[in-house]
């Protein structure tokens, strides 16, 4: 792959005191490297004697500030040697700021430990970069440009990749970190995976991870990302914000992916949810501000949504669920896709419209409410079977009290006596059933219960018991014959949605 044409040098000087080496009329700023105190040049343009003096003043764990400095492979090796502990042969930084630096060769930080934060905002790498390394603070890769294939291995508390650009393939193998990918640009496939065990340093030993206790790799934001080239493996998406991302239907989710869960409550289904649904529901309930005293029975507020108007609305969250559902269906993860279908229907049911958006029509919302109540959108077996049981019990009670006649009706034949030799006309008919009367308790007999049970069960499977019924009983039987098979079909559909592969 050919590298894109370099942009012309910016004419605005950086915010720090810079070297200015090589400034011309076309480039009045020149070298943008920060001064190395007490000198007036950057590390790359110090004289050999001054550079040796500066490097000699460093030691393992020293803080560094080399913003905007151009590094060759040799210069980086000299800096590495100054920060390597001769007793353990381990490379150790304090807080290091390489923002805006340009690494012309391989940027070798293999086995490095950053005891503070590591900043690479806007840095450029012309060769291979970054790892494995350990950073006890923030590893900031924001606004960096990776023009060649790169593998980044790091254990860190936080990894920021805001507006980072990958012009070639990349693999990020990370541990512990909270990863922010807001507005990152992915021109080629980029994979982010949770590394299961400590990294191995250059000497073959496991790298220590002081102060890093979180075991799950968490993605906190994909806002503004084109996810068509993104692969996530074994990550935690509990707090991930998806609003503003595009092509989420092409996002690849592999391994064990963790999503948020609804608050506890017997009336709530246990399912995978998005952080945006939590934020909207919390704002709608009047809890828009994050709180450390949040109950496990409450929806979690969002940090960036101080009120209901700023929170992503149901129409936005429904679209996110729809795209992610397709992404899971494409990987044959039907149970996970079923949870996102549930979430999509929930958001459509609550979408009353706002800010010019018409929302879901009232009739459709009513239909969705019934669909939710009787079967959990065709995804909850227990709810469909419970509704079926309620319908049959109700029908059974109606049959016992009002559906069966007082006594069984028998065919009767009537006629009129005529003279000998004349034809006799006989009429056979069934008398109308006699509705029961008297106290309801007296109608609750064993015989009436058994007959009613037989009628209701046969009605559920489209069979006739042959039992005579009153008018109320006949209509009840017709209702059971319509409702019961529908509920059975919804229960079967729910089972299929959970076991289909």
């Amino acid at each position: 792959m050919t590298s894109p044409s370099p942009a012309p040098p910016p004419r605005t000087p950086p915010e720090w005191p810079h070297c200015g080496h090589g400034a011309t009329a076309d480039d009045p700023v020149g070298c943008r490297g920060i001064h190395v105190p007490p000198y007036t040049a950057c590390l790359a343009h110090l004289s050999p004697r001054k550079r040796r003096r500066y490097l000699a003043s460093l030691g393992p764990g020293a803080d560094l500030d080399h913003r905007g400095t151009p590094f060759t492979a040799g210069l980086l090796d000299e800096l590495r040697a100054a920060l390597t502990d001769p007793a353990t042969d381990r490379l150790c930084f304090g807080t290091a700021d390489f923002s805006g630096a340009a690494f012309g060769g391989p940027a070798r930080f293999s086995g490095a430990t950053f005891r503070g934060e590591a900043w690479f905002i806007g840095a450029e790498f012309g060769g291979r970069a970054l790892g494995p390394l350990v950073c006890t603070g923030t590893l900031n890769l924001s606004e960096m440009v990776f023009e060649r294939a790169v593998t980044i291995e790091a254990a860190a508390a936080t990894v920021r990749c805001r507006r980072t650009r990958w012009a070639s393939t990349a693999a990020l193998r990370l541990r512990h970190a909270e990863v922010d990918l807001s507005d990152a640009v992915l021109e080629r496939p980029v994979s982010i995976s949770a590394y299961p065990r400590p990294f191995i340093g250059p000497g073959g030993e496991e790298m220590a991870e002081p102060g890093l206790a979180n075991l799950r790799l968490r993605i906190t934001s994909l806002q503004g990302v084109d996810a068509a080239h993104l692969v996530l493996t074994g990550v935690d998406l509990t707090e991930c914000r998806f609003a503003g991302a595009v092509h989420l239907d092409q996002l690849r989710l592999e391994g064990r992916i963790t999503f948020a869960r609804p608050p506890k409550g017997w009336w709530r289904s246990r399912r995978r949810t998005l952080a945006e649904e939590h934020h909207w529901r919390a704002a709608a309930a009047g809890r828009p501000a994050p709180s450390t005293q949040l109950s496990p029975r409450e929806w979690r507020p969002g940090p960036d949504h101080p009120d209901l108007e700023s929170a992503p609305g149901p129409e936005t969250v429904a679209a996110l669920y729809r795209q992610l559902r397709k992404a899971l269906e494409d990987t044959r993860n039907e149970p996970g896709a079923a949870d996102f279908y549930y979430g999509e229907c929930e958001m459509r049911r609550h979408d009353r419209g706002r800010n010019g958006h018409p929302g879901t029509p009232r009739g459709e919302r009513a239909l969705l409410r019934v669909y939710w109540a009787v079967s959990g959108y065709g995804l909850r077996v227990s709810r469909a079977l419970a509704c079926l049981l309620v319908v049959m019990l109700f029908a059974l009670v109606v049959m016992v009290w009002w559906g069966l006649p007082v006594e069984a009706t028998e065919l009767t034949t009537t006629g009129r006596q005529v003279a000998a030799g004349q034809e006799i006309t006989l009429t056979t008919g069934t008398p109308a059933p006699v509705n029961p009367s008297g106290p309801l308790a007296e109608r609750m007999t064993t015989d009436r219960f058994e007959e009613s049970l037989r009628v209701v069960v046969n009605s559920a499977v489209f069979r006739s018991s042959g039992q005579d019924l009153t008018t109320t009983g006949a209509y009840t039987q017709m209702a059971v014959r319509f409702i019961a098979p529908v509920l059975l079909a919804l229960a079967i559909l729910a089972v299929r949605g959970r076991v289909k592969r």
Side-chain angles (χ1 to χ4, degrees), residues 67 72 85 112 132 134 223 227 234 252 286 314 342 359 363 401 440 469:
R67 287 173 284 176
T72 63
D85 188 342
V134 173
Q223 294 176 310
R252 292 280 301 277
Y342 192 106
W401 283 346
L440 296 179
L469 302 173

Side-chain angles (χ1 to χ4, degrees), residues 80-274:
R80 284 170 50 91
L83 297 170
T84 300
D85 188 342
T88 62
D89 197 31
R90 291 185 178 179
L91 177 61
C92 183
F93 295 82
T95 294
D97 194 345
F98 292 99
S99 298
F103 296 88
R108 294 180 295 178
F109 290 93
S110 177
T113 298
F114 291 80
R115 294 178 179 172
E117 297 186 345
W119 296 72
F120 292 86
I121 300 175
E124 297 184 4
F125 290 84
R128 295 185 301 169
L130 286 172
L133 58 86
V134 173
C135 178
T136 59
T138 298
L139 178 60
N140 201 326
L141 308 178
S142 298
E143 301 182 18
M144 290 178 59
V145 178
F146 294 94
E147 295 185 352
R148 299 184 182 180
V150 63
T151 297
I152 299 175
E153 296 180 334
T158 304
V159 176
R160 291 180 185 166
C161 298
R162 297 174 180 173
R163 295 180 296 278
T164 302
R165 175 170 165 256
W166 282 279
S168 187
T169 57
L172 280 67
R173 300 167 186 163
L174 306 175
R175 287 176 53 77
H176 305 294
E178 292 185 352
V179 183
D180 185 353
L181 291 171
S182 299
D183 300 313
V185 178
L186 284 62
E187 299 180 14
R188 292 291 186 271
V190 174
S191 66
I192 301 178
S193 58
Y195 203 75
R197 50 189 173 276
F199 293 111
I200 303 300
E205 75 289 348
E206 287 189 353
M207 297 180 63
E209 300 173 342
L212 300 177
N214 178 49
L215 299 180
R216 294 288 293 169
L217 175 65
R218 293 164 290 173
I219 308 296
T220 60
S221 176
L222 291 179
Q223 294 176 310
V225 174
D226 185 339
H229 295 300
L230 182 60
V231 181
L232 302 178
T233 304
V235 301
D236 187 336
L237 299 177
T238 299
E239 298 291 342
C240 184
R241 289 164 288 173
F242 293 93
V246 297
H247 293 149
L248 286 174
D249 58 325
Q250 300 179 43
L251 174 66
R252 292 280 301 277
L253 299 175
E254 300 179 351
R256 183 185 176 188
I257 304 294
T258 304
F259 286 93
R261 296 286 184 175
K264 295 180 179 179
W266 64 267
W267 66 96
R268 294 192 177 109
S269 298
R270 302 301 295 167
R271 58 186 173 93
R272 299 171 179 86
T273 61
L274 300 184

Side-chain angles (χ1 to χ4, degrees), residues 53-67:
R53 184 180 301 171
Y54 166 73
L55 294 175
S57 68
L58 302 178
D63 294 338
L64 300 178
D65 186 356
H66 291 300
R67 287 173 284 176

Side-chain angles (χ1 to χ4, degrees), residues 411-477:
L411 296 177
T412 59
T413 302
T414 61
R416 187 176 60 180
Q417 185 176 2
V418 298
Q422 294 182 347
E423 293 183 356
I424 300 175
T425 301
L426 301 176
T427 302
T428 302
T430 304
V434 180
N435 290 325
S437 60
L440 296 179
E442 294 181 359
R443 306 179 200 177
M444 190 64 72
T445 64
T446 302
D447 291 340
R448 290 180 66 84
F449 179 83
E450 291 179 355
E451 292 176 0
S452 299
L453 181 61
R454 185 166 56 251
V455 171
V456 171
V457 172
N458 281 301
S459 299
V461 292
F462 283 103
R463 294 181 59 189
S464 175
S465 64
Q467 173 67 47
D468 293 325
L469 302 173
T470 64
T471 302
T472 301
Y475 281 111
T476 302
Q477 184 181 55

Side-chain angles (χ1 to χ4, degrees), residues 342-371:
Y342 192 106
E344 177 189 349
C345 291
E346 278 285 273
M347 293 296 96
R348 288 170 54 200
R349 182 167 68 91
H350 290 284
D351 186 9
R352 299 178 181 271
R354 65 172 186 174
N355 299 332
H357 173 68
T360 305
R362 181 177 299 178
E364 184 177 341
R365 291 204 312 271
L367 182 61
L368 285 169
R369 183 173 295 276
V370 173
Y371 194 23

